[in-house]
Amino acid sequence: MTRHRPTAPRLLTAAVAVALAVTGGALTAPAVAAAAAAVAVAPADAQAPVPLIKDGGYLAASGPSGFLTLYPVDGGDTSTWTRYADGSTVSLPGTDPYAPTGRTDLLTRFDSGVLTIRDMGGDGEPVVMDLGHLAPGYQTGRAVGPASAVTVWTDPEGGEELHLVTWTATSLRAERITGLPKEANVTSVVVDSPGTVLVWYVDPADTTVAAHLAVVDVERRAVVEDVTPAYATSDVTVSPTHLAWAETPTDSTTHTLVVMPRGGTPDEALRIPLQKASRLQVALLDGWVLYGKPYADLAGVPNLLYALTARSLTDERTVKVLDTFTRDAPGPDGTVLAWGGTLDRGEGVYRIGVDPDSGVPAATQVATTGRPTALTLLSQDVPDVIDFDQHMSVELAWRFSQVSARTQVKLTHTATGRSGVWIPSTLGNGRFVRWDGRFSDDVTSPDHAPAPNGAYTWQLTAWPGSGIGPALEKTGTFTVQRAPVAHDYDDNGVPDLVERTADGRLVTHAPVDPIDRWRGNEAAPMVLGSGGWNVYDRIVTTGNLAGASHSDLVARDKDGVLWLYQGTGTGFTKRVQVGGGWQAYQQITSAADLTGDGRTDLLATDKSGVLWLYQGTCNASAPFAKRMRVGGGWQIYNDVAAVGNVAGAAAGDLVARDKDGVLWLYLGKGDGTFTARTRVGGGWQAYHHVSGFGDLDRDGYADLFGVTNRQEPYLYLGTGQRTTPFAARKEFRSYSDPTSLNLY
């Protein structure tokens, strides 16, 4: 319904050339080479199935046989005429828009004084009139018939005039349309129908209003009404009985829909106040006024005006005609053609008329874009498998039919039921989550632990920003995978710190940011065992001892029996007895491959100082081979830890602390034995014990942590250097739980 004055169009065409002559005060022309075709009217019952029109355009005009669609291109628009009868299309030349004649199949183009009229309802040649041969100063023109047009002529002495230019078989004549002030400046000309033209103009002599609206009766060649709206208008329309427009006061957020009887005054008008009604468009339909706002698909908040609404001019009844509305044009036989949509039929072109049975306006679809009105998921890009060993992050993406959809995505780990909710980022019609593999029940917290491996479900919920139509829900699945690592008990590819609490529970603490280096934070603990772990006097975290993909654990009870707990990624299976007599050992350590066979081994020192190797078998019922003596004299050490490769040797290494607090490094040879020791440094008596931690920062070198007597853990990252195998310590986390007993 918005009708702006277009710039003077330009058209390059091969239509018939006409030579015009000016004699005296009369304007004449020779006979034309071809007569204009008659307007063809397609009866409603002759329509073919609803045609599909290409997306991206907007409705510009309509007539009895079809409608005009404009498609933006660089520097202009391409024009396509679509016929109702069979859905066929005609592409018109050039990239400047055609001006329509309401309720007809006539289209006009004005180019450098040459006016071309096309009748899209027939097969005749375009009618071409070179207005420059009449007189200089013609600015634009709009067809009011197959061979006539209302034009704007600039008087060299000042002001503008409206002329009706008619092309006949023998002459080209121009007749002045009376009723405009002499100094009038015409700003817009809209042909609502062949007999009625709406003209906006400014009268320099009238300083009380910004602009006048003149209604021109073409047959009478005269302005028959002159209206001065109180405020700026966003749209205007006319019918045989009424004028209507939308007013926008400069100092108010309330807009007004004004409907005035023809020949009446603004005081007689029906005035309908509307909120949030900027860009309101208006049409008239046999006792009803239609109004609505465009761009529902871009809206971020609901607005009832995004629907095309009809209001009776005789009572206060209102009817919603379309769920969304973009643009309208005067339609044939007093109807209105609208570009919009309904939730059940989708987006397209609809003819609006008064239903004879119900007496209220109703919409009949005459063409479709194929796009839904309801918010729809057009495509998704979610990988079936996400390997966070290969990728630092991955994009989960969805594309919608609307730009303004509000969305959220919920990811749920199937095995644990843990879930998190993300608000995806926006890129055009797309929404995406850039996921770095971290996961937390509270996604607002910065302390997200890496997500566990395994199956996930995703649930996408989207709401139309305009509020039109239902919410959209879609679900799917994917799998997260990483290679197993030592000390990983929650199956998220990162070593964990295991703690036994005072009440006998076993819990694991997952570091937050292993990929981007240590941050000194960790997520909420996961319970590995709910109670009863106080029966053990020694608990040793290990790698894979039993052949499964998860890290295991061994524990020695007070009777010297050693038990194996197989990890599952969420806890442990039922314990398996390894054997008795383990009370003979003062130190037990594990979590490293010492023999180069890819299996985790275990070391133990007895009370006489002999170091024994238990080679792993990956057999749950018998996890260790027969023990092998490595060497003696280890009674000088009060703590021993197998740490893995910290100094670049071929196999797992060993560190040992003597009674003076000096830490010594033994490089593994790969056969279960070690090189001569190297002094790491002193002061390690500050720690209650030290333990291998696996490769936390994924640099290829194992790491070490130490727990002070105050239960404060610190991390030492491996460097790969024999002389300085560990970097300066980092605080593992702020740890002050006085009930904690042991950290492993």
Side-chain angles (χ1 to χ4, degrees):
M1 296 169 197
T2 302
R3 301 180 176 93
H4 302 289
R5 177 186 181 183
T7 56
R10 302 184 61 83
L11 170 62
L12 301 177
T13 179
V16 179
V18 180
L20 299 171
V22 180
T23 60
L27 302 176
T28 62
V32 299
V39 175
V41 179
D45 57 4
Q47 292 183 15
V50 175
L52 177 68
I53 58 177
K54 66 178 183 178
D55 200 5
Y58 59 93
L59 178 68
S62 68
S65 72
F67 60 91
L68 178 69
T69 309
L70 301 182
Y71 296 91
V73 296
D74 293 339
D77 297 277
T78 60
S79 304
T80 300
W81 183 267
T82 302
R83 294 190 173 97
Y84 300 128
D86 55 10
S88 62
T89 60
V90 177
S91 295
L92 302 178
T95 57
D96 286 333
Y98 283 83
T101 298
R103 311 183 197 283
T104 74
D105 293 328
L106 300 176
L107 302 177
T108 312
R109 173 169 285 178
F110 188 87
D111 180 21
S112 301
V114 177
L115 192 147
T116 303
I117 301 175
R118 293 178 178 270
D119 185 352
M120 302 308 298
D123 296 325
E125 291 293 327
V127 174
V128 179
M129 294 182 284
D130 189 346
L131 304 185
H133 288 284
L134 292 174
Y138 281 95
Q139 302 301 315
T140 186
R142 302 289 185 266
V144 291
S148 61
V150 171
T151 64
V152 178
W153 176 71
T154 300
D155 188 339
E157 296 182 1
E160 294 178 334
E161 295 180 1
L162 294 178
H163 288 180
L164 175 65
V165 177
T166 304
W167 182 17
T168 70
T170 59
S171 65
L172 182 66
R173 65 176 182 271
E175 302 171 82
R176 184 185 176 197
I177 296 174
T178 63
L180 291 184
K182 180 175 176 54
E183 302 296 327
N185 177 21
V186 177
T187 59
S188 175
V189 175
V190 175
V191 182
D192 182 82
S193 66
T196 305
V197 178
L198 297 173
V199 179
W200 283 104
Y201 72 92
V202 176
D203 183 0
D206 184 359
T207 60
T208 61
V209 295
H212 290 253
L213 172 63
V215 180
V216 173
D217 186 314
V218 176
E219 184 177 358
R220 294 167 57 182
R221 278 57 163 177
V223 173
V224 294
E225 293 179 70
D226 195 302
V227 181
T228 54
Y231 301 101
T233 61
S234 60
D235 195 23
V236 63
T237 186
V238 65
S239 75
T241 60
H242 290 83
L243 276 168
W245 61 83
E247 287 185 352
T248 306
T250 56
D251 58 349
S252 174
T253 59
T254 300
H255 306 262
T256 303
L257 174 58
V258 181
V259 186
M260 188 179 76
R262 293 286 300 273
T265 66
D267 292 338
E268 302 174 67
L270 169 67
R271 304 181 68 85
I272 305 171
L274 298 171
Q275 297 292 328
K276 301 179 181 178
S278 60
R279 298 180 178 175
L280 190 72
Q281 300 184 39
V282 185
L284 288 166
L285 177 70
D286 192 17
W288 298 79
V289 60
L290 307 177
Y291 57 92
K293 278 172 57 76
Y295 310 124
D297 59 329
L298 302 178
V301 295
N303 190 332
L304 294 176
L305 295 177
Y306 288 131
L308 181 62
T309 301
R311 172 166 172 156
S312 172
L313 298 180
T314 57
D315 52 45
E316 295 185 356
R317 286 180 299 160
T318 58
V319 177
K320 184 168 72 171
V321 183
L322 296 175
D323 292 308
T324 63
F325 169 69
T326 300
R327 189 179 179 89
D328 84 297
D333 303 321
T335 63
V336 173
L337 217 65
W339 190 292
T342 64
L343 291 173
D344 57 340
R345 287 170 287 178
E347 297 293 298
V349 178
Y350 289 81
R351 182 184 289 118
I352 315 298
V354 176
D355 181 71
D357 296 326
S358 64
V360 300
T364 301
Q365 192 173 37
V366 297
T368 178
T369 64
R371 290 186 290 113
T373 296
L375 178 62
T376 303
L377 180 65
L378 301 180
S379 63
Q380 66 188 49
D381 186 8
V382 179
D384 293 329
V385 177
I386 301 174
D387 187 341
F388 282 118
D389 287 335
Q390 300 297 321
H391 304 283
M392 296 288 289
S393 64
V394 67
E395 186 174 280
L396 316 178
W398 299 266
R399 191 169 68 89
F400 295 93
S401 60
Q402 298 177 15
V403 174
S404 59
R406 296 178 294 109
T407 56
Q408 73 173 28
V409 174
K410 181 179 181 180
L411 303 183
T412 302
H413 185 232
T414 303
T416 62
R418 291 179 56 204
S419 62
V421 176
W422 280 260
I423 305 301
S425 301
T426 301
L427 181 62
N429 283 29
R431 304 292 186 276
F432 66 92
V433 172
R434 173 62 67 177
W435 192 33
D436 62 1
R438 289 183 287 183
F439 195 69
S440 173
D441 298 328
D442 178 14
V443 298
T444 63
S445 167
D447 297 338
H448 296 181
N453 294 324
Y456 282 78
T457 61
W458 58 263
Q459 180 182 27
L460 171 71
T461 305
W463 298 268
S466 64
I468 299 171
L472 172 70
E473 286 198 0
K474 295 291 183 180
T475 59
T477 61
F478 61 85
T479 300
V480 170
Q481 68 178 26
R482 304 180 186 84
V485 299
H487 279 275
D488 180 14
Y489 292 95
D490 53 8
D491 194 24
N492 66 354
V494 179
D496 303 314
L497 185 66
V498 177
E499 172 193 0
R500 181 176 62 182
T501 62
D503 58 3
R505 292 178 300 119
L506 203 66
V507 299
T508 181
H509 299 274
V512 169
D513 209 351
I515 297 174
D516 300 324
R517 292 284 180 175
W518 187 254
R519 286 195 312 143
N521 294 313
E522 48 85 26
M526 182 182 78
V527 177
L528 294 175
S530 58
W533 290 83
N534 286 332
V535 300
Y536 301 113
D537 63 6
R538 188 69 175 177
I539 298 173
V540 180
T541 54
T542 72
N544 171 22
L545 288 174
S549 60
H550 305 105
S551 292
D552 304 323
L553 180 147
V554 293
R556 182 182 66 188
D557 65 24
K558 297 174 182 178
D559 295 325
V561 177
L562 192 68
W563 301 89
L564 169 66
Y565 287 84
Q566 289 182 254
T568 64
T570 58
F572 297 109
T573 62
K574 185 178 180 180
R575 68 179 186 175
V576 175
Q577 182 175 329
V578 175
W582 285 77
Q583 69 271 22
Y585 298 114
Q586 288 186 320
Q587 306 291 338
I588 303 174
T589 186
S590 184
D593 175 20
L594 302 175
T595 59
D597 60 0
R599 299 169 180 171
T600 300
D601 305 315
L602 183 142
L603 290 168
T605 60
D606 63 23
K607 296 177 181 178
S608 62
V610 176
L611 180 65
W612 299 92
L613 169 67
Y614 286 84
Q615 191 169 351
T617 65
C618 284
N619 183 342
S621 60
F624 301 114
K626 185 178 180 180
R627 71 178 186 174
M628 180 181 72
R629 189 178 191 276
V630 176
W634 287 78
Q635 68 273 16
I636 65 173
Y637 300 116
N638 56 25
D639 202 7
V640 176
V643 292
N645 174 20
V646 298
D653 304 325
L654 188 68
V655 294
R657 183 186 61 191
D658 64 25
K659 61 181 181 354
D660 296 323
V662 177
L663 191 69
W664 301 88
L665 170 66
Y666 289 83
L667 295 181
K669 296 180 179 180
D671 59 359
T673 63
F674 302 94
T675 63
R677 69 181 187 175
T678 300
R679 190 179 191 273
V680 175
W684 287 79
Q685 67 270 24
Y687 296 106
H688 178 266
H689 67 270
V690 294
S691 178
F693 196 59
D695 184 8
L696 179 66
D697 57 355
R698 297 187 180 185
D699 64 352
Y701 301 109
D703 306 316
L704 177 78
F705 76 86
V707 183
T708 69
N709 294 324
R710 298 179 57 186
Q711 305 294 329
E712 298 168 338
Y714 289 90
L715 179 73
Y716 291 83
L717 296 176
T719 65
Q721 302 296 320
R722 181 173 181 175
T723 55
T724 55
F726 301 110
R729 75 177 189 178
K730 295 176 177 291
E731 184 179 352
F732 189 90
R733 62 177 174 131
S734 178
Y735 193 88
S736 59
D737 185 356
T739 64
S740 298
L741 295 181
N742 294 291
L743 293 168
Y744 302 96

